[in-house]
Amino acid sequence: EHRQTVMNVYADSLAYVDSQLARLFEHIKRRGLWDNTIVILSADTGQAFYEHGFAGHANMLFNEVMHVPLIIRAPGAAPRVDTRVAQHIDVPPSILHLLCLPPHPAFQGMNLFEKNPPKDRSVYLVVQAPLARQYAIVRSGYKLVYDAQGDRRFLFDLKRDPGERNDVADSHPELARRLAVRLDTWRKLQIEYYRDLNRHGRFYPPVLKD
């Protein structure tokens, strides 16, 4: 019954952040550095307000938790909206592109300014918290979530069901199977690499190509 009040308080906190960013930007402009400054704004997580029965953010991989803004302002770049799915690991290679530097081979993300980006990209999500332990893949407008605590999988059609209310795994068994195989492969690659410190000095982090 206090959901709207909590949402209003959260909106107040965002307004405070906006005011502090305004102070920072004005300072940069006064120093004459604005035309040579790249600004990137994002967030670590979103915030749930009982859309799926819980509040906060250290919880399940629904869009209200995982969907965050990514705003990039670069000198000379024309304003536009990009509806592609992106990840935080895309920020470093994108910054190097804006600085006219090559990406490091250890990067697992992609340059968001590529002229011919992949049309069908897989994005991976992870939560390992006391309230949830889940892994997910987003691809071709679908999200497959594996709940490790309950050993269950859920499939959501993000185009027809952006609120992630209906599990369609039973009606799309082959799609669910393919996404599950890809998600399991990605998980194994990451775990095998990061648990073996000897590999870190000899190999770059693994990238599962689409």
Side-chain angles (χ1 to χ4, degrees), residues 20-52:
Q20 298 307 306
L21 288 173
R23 293 179 60 200
L24 173 63
F25 296 162
E26 287 302 320
H27 174 73
I28 294 173
K29 291 175 181 178
R30 283 196 301 270
R31 295 190 60 190
L33 301 175
W34 185 249
D35 291 336
N36 294 313
T37 298
I38 296 171
V39 177
I40 298 179
L41 298 177
S42 190
D44 54 347
T45 68
Q47 189 78 1
F49 295 103
Y50 293 102
E51 292 88 346
H52 289 90

Side-chain angles (χ1 to χ4, degrees), residues 168-193:
V168 297
D170 290 342
S171 56
H172 297 77
E174 181 57 26
L175 174 61
R177 186 196 65 81
R178 291 199 309 269
L179 292 176
V181 169
R182 189 169 190 84
L183 178 59
D184 290 343
T185 301
W186 176 82
R187 287 180 59 210
K188 290 176 182 177
L189 285 173
Q190 306 304 315
I191 292 171
E192 289 173 359
Y193 178 82

